[in-house]
Amino acid sequence: LRGPLRPWLDSLLGDPQASAPVFRPGAVRAHLDAFHAGRGDDLAPLRLWALAVFEWWVRRFDVELSP
């Protein structure tokens, strides 16, 4: 997620429009920034992968989420 997939990850989680109603404002971005700065724990890549796939799924299938 720090290599060739970084642009994909950043495009989805830099501004998670589709899944925004589900998460606290700025929470996903904070996790992403910590990961890129090397401050994430061993599970950070797994969390970010799950969040990215969730964001992709919501966008791809045009799912409407409410808080």
Side-chain angles (χ1 to χ4, degrees), residues 7-58:
W8 176 78
L9 184 69
D10 289 344
S11 72
L12 288 172
L13 299 183
D15 182 22
Q17 310 137 355
S19 62
V22 179
F23 304 110
R24 282 180 289 127
V28 173
R29 184 69 207 196
H31 280 303
L32 184 61
D33 290 344
F35 174 72
H36 287 318
R39 294 188 315 265
D41 61 16
D42 291 342
L43 295 178
L46 300 176
R47 277 191 224 92
L48 290 172
W49 178 258
L51 289 169
V53 170
F54 178 65
E55 177 71 19
W56 176 85
W57 178 80
V58 171

